Amino acid sequence: MFRLSSKLKGSQKYAFKRLLTASSIKEGWDAVIGIEVHAQLNTRTKLFSDSSTSYNDMVNTHVSTIDAAFPGVQPRLNDHAVELAVKTALALQGQVQKRSIFERKHYFYPDLPQGYQITQQREPISRGGYILLTENDGLSTPVKIGIHQLQIEQDTGKSIHDMRPGETLLDLNRAGTGLMEIVTKPDIRTSYEAGLLVKKLQNILQWVGSSKASLEEGSMRCDVNVSVRRKGEESFGTRCELKNLNRIRSLSMAIDAEVRRQIEVLKQGGKINTETRRYDEERDVTFRLRDKETSPDYRYMPEPDLPPLVLSQCYIDNIAANLPELPDICLERMMKQYGISLLNANLLLHEYKCVDYFEKVCKGRNSKIVTNWTLNELSGALSSQGLSFQENPISIERFGSLIDLVQKGIITGNTGKEVIRLLLKNPSDPMDIVKEKGWLKITDSSQLRTLCEELIVSQSEKAKAIQNGDLKLFKWFVGRVMGRTKGQADPNALNQALSQSLGWNSYDDMLSIANKSKNEKKKDMS
């Protein structure tokens, strides 16, 4: 297994990763990859019933007669699900269709109570669109991945195979939950691009609020279509589908394994069969599940209990007008407006999802200082308590006030870190905490001089060494005074007080004389 050197810079790591991925495709061959992403819509209730959506609740506790497909029940479309699907389509630059229809897709799974899925295969809510992968995403040259269509459909229940030997248990809590199926065009050429695309799509869905898009929870699932062809060929090869890939790393590895398999089969004169396969991560191979179903197998027919979905241009325009600033635009703006790095901008946008919090704290303050306190101190303190940024109890006003106390020299940076920890446990005014704990910074020069002189008397030999030019021990004295003041001494004031106590006029005077002495010694030696 390859491991990236810690000495490589971010852009070098991206380039190296891409090189490794490209090298996994044998010379003379191209991979052709398309992805189908199923993302659960972020609605309170299911797509066609009033049952609440849930994750990890007690099994079969959110199941209505509609979800369980009792005879005679009729679906009723969730308006919010439609709104979120339109919002997603617009964020992906898709063409929202003013008229779309629902269909029945027939297939038998134990966890599909109706015996069919209500979907939008032939006349979806959105067609077209694209996702652009750029240098900011980790590519050396931009790649535009087209979107074929976006459709609304219902999810299945969940089959549990490993609780009772020889039996399958069913949990219908998920049955009927609203999904978006987002189908890309076969524009992807490497597993690395595929991983970047899934991550970027995940970020977009979370950003606009249409889906939690959590691969770990299962609110986002990926199927990948893979084929290979010889370099220079225009026609596509026979594709195989890789099912239920729920981690980006697994997705990339599965694609590489399937590409290797197909190339080997063709090189030996074999034929690729259209089939559905799964990935065995432990063995790093794909294996056959079943033949791939085709449209006739599904026996599509219009859903008789749902009329066509008709949207007005005014409805679409209103959603477009309230669409948030999209991630790519926001990323570029953050870097330019606040002078922060790509890494820090990505952390604010995608890792901690705290752009609004950060920008409000930045008002009237130095953005680089706010960046440091947000990404290093606050995020670290939250992580130590097992809290996400969305669970952050410290208000914008209080966090800003804390940064101001440090910048104005009222408290030290170390004290500021302690205040953050206390604010997480008991949110209150930072100044009140500082006063209550006696943490105000000591800037009184006479008080600091007294402490320094007491230390010099007790450590006279070390003091004489400093006076003779050994400034390394100066930091030792600073550390001892800091210890006696419990870190509350102002560093600049302490430097002045200590240098004056040692016989110099100022700290700068001490440094100047020491440097002059050092230069004279060098001349004598030469």
Side-chain angles (χ1 to χ4, degrees), residues 133-178:
L133 301 177
T134 68
E135 291 180 0
N136 288 343
D137 301 305
L139 291 182
S140 56
T141 54
V143 174
K144 188 175 183 178
I145 311 297
I147 303 294
H148 174 62
Q149 68 183 44
L150 182 153
Q151 62 201 51
I152 303 173
E153 59 190 26
Q154 61 184 166
D155 208 348
T156 63
K158 188 175 181 181
S159 295
I160 303 164
H161 304 290
D162 54 1
M163 288 187 70
R164 293 182 187 172
E167 295 184 4
T168 295
L169 304 181
L170 299 180
D171 177 11
L172 296 183
N173 276 349
R174 197 176 69 183
T177 298

Short mmCIF file of all heavy atoms in Angstrom, two decimals, residues 133-178:
data_model
loop_
_atom_site.label_atom_id
_atom_site.label_comp_id
_atom_site.label_asym_id
_atom_site.label_seq_id
_atom_site.Cartn_x
_atom_site.Cartn_y
_atom_site.Cartn_z
N LEU A 133 -15.35 19.85 -11.16
CA LEU A 133 -14.23 19.56 -10.26
C LEU A 133 -13.05 20.43 -10.67
O LEU A 133 -12.66 20.41 -11.85
CB LEU A 133 -13.85 18.08 -10.33
CG LEU A 133 -14.95 17.07 -9.97
CD1 LEU A 133 -14.44 15.64 -10.16
CD2 LEU A 133 -15.45 17.28 -8.56
N THR A 134 -12.50 21.19 -9.75
CA THR A 134 -11.46 22.16 -10.06
C THR A 134 -10.19 21.89 -9.26
O THR A 134 -10.10 20.92 -8.51
CB THR A 134 -11.95 23.59 -9.75
OG1 THR A 134 -12.09 23.71 -8.31
CG2 THR A 134 -13.30 23.87 -10.40
N GLU A 135 -9.22 22.80 -9.41
CA GLU A 135 -7.98 22.70 -8.63
C GLU A 135 -8.28 22.77 -7.14
O GLU A 135 -7.58 22.15 -6.33
CB GLU A 135 -7.04 23.84 -9.03
CG GLU A 135 -6.48 23.69 -10.44
CD GLU A 135 -5.54 24.82 -10.81
OE1 GLU A 135 -5.34 25.72 -9.96
OE2 GLU A 135 -5.01 24.82 -11.93
N ASN A 136 -9.30 23.54 -6.76
CA ASN A 136 -9.67 23.63 -5.35
C ASN A 136 -10.16 22.29 -4.79
O ASN A 136 -10.12 22.06 -3.58
CB ASN A 136 -10.76 24.69 -5.14
CG ASN A 136 -10.23 26.10 -5.31
OD1 ASN A 136 -9.03 26.32 -5.28
ND2 ASN A 136 -11.12 27.05 -5.51
N ASP A 137 -10.62 21.43 -5.68
CA ASP A 137 -11.08 20.10 -5.25
C ASP A 137 -9.95 19.07 -5.26
O ASP A 137 -10.10 17.99 -4.70
CB ASP A 137 -12.21 19.61 -6.17
CG ASP A 137 -13.40 20.55 -6.17
OD1 ASP A 137 -13.92 20.82 -5.07
OD2 ASP A 137 -13.79 21.02 -7.25
N GLY A 138 -8.84 19.41 -5.94
CA GLY A 138 -7.71 18.50 -5.95
C GLY A 138 -7.29 17.99 -7.31
O GLY A 138 -6.52 17.04 -7.40
N LEU A 139 -7.81 18.60 -8.39
CA LEU A 139 -7.41 18.20 -9.74
C LEU A 139 -6.46 19.23 -10.33
O LEU A 139 -6.60 20.43 -10.07
CB LEU A 139 -8.63 18.05 -10.64
CG LEU A 139 -9.58 16.88 -10.33
CD1 LEU A 139 -10.71 16.84 -11.35
CD2 LEU A 139 -8.84 15.55 -10.33
N SER A 140 -5.54 18.77 -11.16
CA SER A 140 -4.61 19.71 -11.80
C SER A 140 -5.29 20.50 -12.91
O SER A 140 -4.94 21.64 -13.18
CB SER A 140 -3.40 18.95 -12.34
OG SER A 140 -3.82 17.93 -13.24
N THR A 141 -6.28 19.88 -13.57
CA THR A 141 -7.07 20.58 -14.58
C THR A 141 -8.55 20.31 -14.31
O THR A 141 -8.91 19.22 -13.88
CB THR A 141 -6.72 20.09 -16.00
OG1 THR A 141 -6.87 18.66 -16.06
CG2 THR A 141 -5.30 20.45 -16.38
N PRO A 142 -9.42 21.31 -14.55
CA PRO A 142 -10.85 21.14 -14.25
C PRO A 142 -11.48 20.01 -15.07
O PRO A 142 -11.10 19.76 -16.22
CB PRO A 142 -11.45 22.50 -14.64
CG PRO A 142 -10.31 23.45 -14.63
CD PRO A 142 -9.11 22.66 -15.05
N VAL A 143 -12.45 19.33 -14.47
CA VAL A 143 -13.22 18.28 -15.14
C VAL A 143 -14.71 18.55 -14.88
O VAL A 143 -15.12 18.73 -13.74
CB VAL A 143 -12.85 16.87 -14.60
CG1 VAL A 143 -13.77 15.81 -15.20
CG2 VAL A 143 -11.40 16.54 -14.91
N LYS A 144 -15.47 18.59 -15.95
CA LYS A 144 -16.91 18.85 -15.85
C LYS A 144 -17.66 17.53 -15.95
O LYS A 144 -17.60 16.84 -16.98
CB LYS A 144 -17.34 19.81 -16.97
CG LYS A 144 -18.76 20.31 -16.86
CD LYS A 144 -19.03 21.34 -17.96
CE LYS A 144 -20.43 21.92 -17.84
NZ LYS A 144 -20.67 22.95 -18.89
N ILE A 145 -18.36 17.17 -14.90
CA ILE A 145 -19.13 15.92 -14.86
C ILE A 145 -20.60 16.26 -15.08
O ILE A 145 -21.22 16.95 -14.26
CB ILE A 145 -18.97 15.19 -13.51
CG1 ILE A 145 -17.48 15.06 -13.13
CG2 ILE A 145 -19.66 13.83 -13.57
CD1 ILE A 145 -16.66 14.24 -14.06
N GLY A 146 -21.15 15.79 -16.18
CA GLY A 146 -22.55 16.08 -16.49
C GLY A 146 -23.51 15.30 -15.61
O GLY A 146 -23.22 14.18 -15.17
N ILE A 147 -24.68 15.91 -15.35
CA ILE A 147 -25.77 15.22 -14.64
C ILE A 147 -26.82 14.82 -15.68
O ILE A 147 -27.27 15.66 -16.47
CB ILE A 147 -26.43 16.15 -13.59
CG1 ILE A 147 -25.39 16.67 -12.58
CG2 ILE A 147 -27.57 15.42 -12.87
CD1 ILE A 147 -24.78 15.63 -11.69
N HIS A 148 -27.16 13.55 -15.72
CA HIS A 148 -28.19 13.08 -16.65
C HIS A 148 -29.57 13.51 -16.19
O HIS A 148 -30.31 14.15 -16.94
CB HIS A 148 -28.12 11.56 -16.78
CG HIS A 148 -29.21 10.96 -17.60
ND1 HIS A 148 -29.38 11.27 -18.93
CD2 HIS A 148 -30.23 10.10 -17.27
CE1 HIS A 148 -30.44 10.62 -19.40
NE2 HIS A 148 -30.96 9.91 -18.41
N GLN A 149 -29.90 13.18 -14.94
CA GLN A 149 -31.21 13.59 -14.41
C GLN A 149 -31.24 13.46 -12.90
O GLN A 149 -30.39 12.81 -12.29
CB GLN A 149 -32.34 12.78 -15.02
CG GLN A 149 -32.38 11.31 -14.64
CD GLN A 149 -33.50 10.57 -15.36
OE1 GLN A 149 -33.72 10.72 -16.56
NE2 GLN A 149 -34.24 9.76 -14.60
N LEU A 150 -32.23 14.11 -12.32
CA LEU A 150 -32.52 14.01 -10.88
C LEU A 150 -33.99 13.64 -10.76
O LEU A 150 -34.85 14.30 -11.36
CB LEU A 150 -32.23 15.33 -10.18
CG LEU A 150 -32.43 15.41 -8.66
CD1 LEU A 150 -31.52 16.48 -8.05
CD2 LEU A 150 -33.88 15.71 -8.26
N GLN A 151 -34.27 12.59 -10.00
CA GLN A 151 -35.65 12.15 -9.85
C GLN A 151 -35.99 11.93 -8.38
O GLN A 151 -35.12 11.65 -7.55
CB GLN A 151 -35.89 10.86 -10.65
CG GLN A 151 -35.04 9.69 -10.19
CD GLN A 151 -34.89 8.63 -11.26
OE1 GLN A 151 -34.53 8.93 -12.41
NE2 GLN A 151 -35.17 7.38 -10.90
N ILE A 152 -37.28 12.08 -8.08
CA ILE A 152 -37.79 11.82 -6.72
C ILE A 152 -38.32 10.40 -6.68
O ILE A 152 -39.00 9.95 -7.61
CB ILE A 152 -38.92 12.80 -6.36
CG1 ILE A 152 -38.45 14.26 -6.48
CG2 ILE A 152 -39.43 12.54 -4.96
CD1 ILE A 152 -39.57 15.27 -6.30
N GLU A 153 -38.02 9.68 -5.59
CA GLU A 153 -38.54 8.33 -5.44
C GLU A 153 -38.59 7.95 -3.96
O GLU A 153 -38.10 8.69 -3.12
CB GLU A 153 -37.70 7.32 -6.23
CG GLU A 153 -36.24 7.27 -5.83
CD GLU A 153 -35.41 6.43 -6.79
OE1 GLU A 153 -35.80 6.29 -7.97
OE2 GLU A 153 -34.38 5.90 -6.35
N GLN A 154 -39.20 6.83 -3.67
CA GLN A 154 -39.32 6.40 -2.29
C GLN A 154 -38.27 5.33 -1.97
O GLN A 154 -37.88 4.54 -2.83
CB GLN A 154 -40.73 5.86 -2.00
CG GLN A 154 -41.10 4.67 -2.84
CD GLN A 154 -42.53 4.20 -2.61
OE1 GLN A 154 -43.06 3.43 -3.39
NE2 GLN A 154 -43.15 4.62 -1.55
N ASP A 155 -37.84 5.32 -0.73
CA ASP A 155 -36.84 4.35 -0.27
C ASP A 155 -37.52 3.05 0.13
O ASP A 155 -38.73 3.01 0.39
CB ASP A 155 -36.07 4.94 0.92
CG ASP A 155 -34.66 4.38 1.05
OD1 ASP A 155 -34.35 3.39 0.36
OD2 ASP A 155 -33.86 4.96 1.81
N THR A 156 -36.72 2.00 0.20
CA THR A 156 -37.21 0.70 0.68
C THR A 156 -37.05 0.64 2.20
O THR A 156 -36.47 1.54 2.82
CB THR A 156 -36.40 -0.44 0.05
OG1 THR A 156 -35.04 -0.31 0.48
CG2 THR A 156 -36.47 -0.38 -1.46
N GLY A 157 -37.52 -0.45 2.79
CA GLY A 157 -37.23 -0.73 4.19
C GLY A 157 -35.82 -1.30 4.30
O GLY A 157 -35.02 -1.21 3.36
N LYS A 158 -35.54 -1.90 5.41
CA LYS A 158 -34.20 -2.43 5.64
C LYS A 158 -34.29 -3.91 6.01
O LYS A 158 -35.04 -4.29 6.91
CB LYS A 158 -33.54 -1.65 6.78
CG LYS A 158 -32.07 -1.97 6.99
CD LYS A 158 -31.49 -1.07 8.06
CE LYS A 158 -30.02 -1.33 8.28
NZ LYS A 158 -29.45 -0.46 9.34
N SER A 159 -33.53 -4.74 5.29
CA SER A 159 -33.46 -6.18 5.59
C SER A 159 -32.27 -6.45 6.49
O SER A 159 -31.17 -5.97 6.24
CB SER A 159 -33.32 -6.99 4.30
OG SER A 159 -34.48 -6.85 3.49
N ILE A 160 -32.50 -7.21 7.54
CA ILE A 160 -31.44 -7.54 8.50
C ILE A 160 -31.22 -9.04 8.44
O ILE A 160 -32.09 -9.84 8.78
CB ILE A 160 -31.84 -7.09 9.92
CG1 ILE A 160 -32.15 -5.59 9.92
CG2 ILE A 160 -30.74 -7.41 10.93
CD1 ILE A 160 -32.90 -5.11 11.13
N HIS A 161 -30.02 -9.44 7.99
CA HIS A 161 -29.76 -10.86 7.70
C HIS A 161 -28.95 -11.57 8.77
O HIS A 161 -28.83 -12.79 8.74
CB HIS A 161 -29.01 -10.98 6.37
CG HIS A 161 -29.71 -10.33 5.21
ND1 HIS A 161 -30.87 -10.83 4.66
CD2 HIS A 161 -29.41 -9.20 4.52
CE1 HIS A 161 -31.25 -10.05 3.66
NE2 HIS A 161 -30.39 -9.06 3.55
N ASP A 162 -28.35 -10.82 9.69
CA ASP A 162 -27.35 -11.44 10.57
C ASP A 162 -27.78 -11.56 12.02
O ASP A 162 -26.95 -11.80 12.90
CB ASP A 162 -26.04 -10.65 10.49
CG ASP A 162 -26.22 -9.17 10.77
OD1 ASP A 162 -27.37 -8.76 11.05
OD2 ASP A 162 -25.22 -8.43 10.72
N MET A 163 -29.08 -11.42 12.31
CA MET A 163 -29.53 -11.53 13.71
C MET A 163 -30.01 -12.93 14.04
O MET A 163 -29.79 -13.42 15.15
CB MET A 163 -30.63 -10.50 14.00
CG MET A 163 -30.12 -9.07 14.08
SD MET A 163 -31.38 -7.90 14.60
CE MET A 163 -31.61 -8.37 16.31
N ARG A 164 -30.66 -13.59 13.08
CA ARG A 164 -31.13 -14.96 13.29
C ARG A 164 -30.67 -15.82 12.11
O ARG A 164 -30.97 -15.50 10.96
CB ARG A 164 -32.65 -15.01 13.38
CG ARG A 164 -33.23 -14.32 14.60
CD ARG A 164 -34.74 -14.47 14.63
NE ARG A 164 -35.34 -13.68 15.69
CZ ARG A 164 -36.66 -13.53 15.84
NH1 ARG A 164 -37.49 -14.11 14.98
NH2 ARG A 164 -37.12 -12.79 16.83
N PRO A 165 -29.93 -16.87 12.37
CA PRO A 165 -29.44 -17.73 11.28
C PRO A 165 -30.58 -18.24 10.42
O PRO A 165 -31.58 -18.76 10.92
CB PRO A 165 -28.74 -18.88 12.02
CG PRO A 165 -28.39 -18.30 13.35
CD PRO A 165 -29.48 -17.33 13.69
N GLY A 166 -30.44 -18.07 9.10
CA GLY A 166 -31.44 -18.59 8.17
C GLY A 166 -32.68 -17.75 8.04
O GLY A 166 -33.62 -18.12 7.31
N GLU A 167 -32.74 -16.61 8.73
CA GLU A 167 -33.93 -15.75 8.66
C GLU A 167 -33.53 -14.33 8.31
O GLU A 167 -32.43 -13.87 8.61
CB GLU A 167 -34.67 -15.74 10.01
CG GLU A 167 -35.26 -17.08 10.40
CD GLU A 167 -36.06 -16.98 11.71
OE1 GLU A 167 -36.20 -15.86 12.23
OE2 GLU A 167 -36.52 -18.02 12.18
N THR A 168 -34.46 -13.64 7.64
CA THR A 168 -34.29 -12.21 7.34
C THR A 168 -35.35 -11.43 8.11
O THR A 168 -36.54 -11.73 7.99
CB THR A 168 -34.44 -11.94 5.83
OG1 THR A 168 -33.37 -12.59 5.14
CG2 THR A 168 -34.37 -10.45 5.54
N LEU A 169 -34.91 -10.47 8.89
CA LEU A 169 -35.83 -9.62 9.64
C LEU A 169 -36.01 -8.30 8.91
O LEU A 169 -35.09 -7.80 8.25
CB LEU A 169 -35.28 -9.37 11.05
CG LEU A 169 -34.96 -10.61 11.88
CD1 LEU A 169 -34.44 -10.21 13.26
CD2 LEU A 169 -36.17 -11.52 12.02
N LEU A 170 -37.20 -7.72 9.01
CA LEU A 170 -37.51 -6.49 8.28
C LEU A 170 -37.78 -5.34 9.23
O LEU A 170 -38.50 -5.49 10.21
CB LEU A 170 -38.75 -6.70 7.40
CG LEU A 170 -38.65 -7.76 6.30
CD1 LEU A 170 -39.95 -7.84 5.53
CD2 LEU A 170 -37.49 -7.48 5.37
N ASP A 171 -37.18 -4.20 8.92
CA ASP A 171 -37.45 -2.94 9.62
C ASP A 171 -37.99 -1.97 8.57
O ASP A 171 -37.28 -1.57 7.65
CB ASP A 171 -36.17 -2.39 10.25
CG ASP A 171 -36.39 -1.04 10.94
OD1 ASP A 171 -37.57 -0.65 11.10
OD2 ASP A 171 -35.39 -0.39 11.30
N LEU A 172 -39.25 -1.59 8.71
CA LEU A 172 -39.90 -0.73 7.71
C LEU A 172 -39.87 0.75 8.09
O LEU A 172 -40.56 1.56 7.48
CB LEU A 172 -41.35 -1.18 7.47
CG LEU A 172 -41.50 -2.59 6.88
CD1 LEU A 172 -42.98 -2.89 6.63
CD2 LEU A 172 -40.71 -2.74 5.60
N ASN A 173 -39.07 1.12 9.09
CA ASN A 173 -38.97 2.54 9.45
C ASN A 173 -38.54 3.39 8.25
O ASN A 173 -38.99 4.52 8.08
CB ASN A 173 -37.97 2.74 10.58
CG ASN A 173 -38.57 2.52 11.95
OD1 ASN A 173 -39.78 2.39 12.09
ND2 ASN A 173 -37.74 2.45 12.97
N ARG A 174 -37.65 2.86 7.43
CA ARG A 174 -37.12 3.62 6.29
C ARG A 174 -38.04 3.57 5.07
O ARG A 174 -37.94 4.40 4.16
CB ARG A 174 -35.74 3.08 5.92
CG ARG A 174 -34.91 3.99 5.04
CD ARG A 174 -33.53 3.40 4.81
NE ARG A 174 -33.58 2.20 3.97
CZ ARG A 174 -32.53 1.45 3.66
NH1 ARG A 174 -31.34 1.76 4.13
NH2 ARG A 174 -32.65 0.38 2.89
N ALA A 175 -38.94 2.59 5.03
CA ALA A 175 -39.81 2.40 3.86
C ALA A 175 -40.65 3.65 3.60
O ALA A 175 -41.35 4.14 4.49
CB ALA A 175 -40.71 1.19 4.08
N GLY A 176 -40.57 4.15 2.40
CA GLY A 176 -41.36 5.33 2.03
C GLY A 176 -40.66 6.65 2.27
O GLY A 176 -41.22 7.71 1.96
N THR A 177 -39.46 6.63 2.84
CA THR A 177 -38.70 7.88 3.02
C THR A 177 -38.36 8.45 1.64
O THR A 177 -38.04 7.72 0.71
CB THR A 177 -37.40 7.61 3.80
OG1 THR A 177 -37.74 7.13 5.11
CG2 THR A 177 -36.56 8.86 3.93
N GLY A 178 -38.44 9.76 1.51
CA GLY A 178 -38.19 10.40 0.22
C GLY A 178 -36.72 10.37 -0.16
O GLY A 178 -35.84 10.61 0.68
#
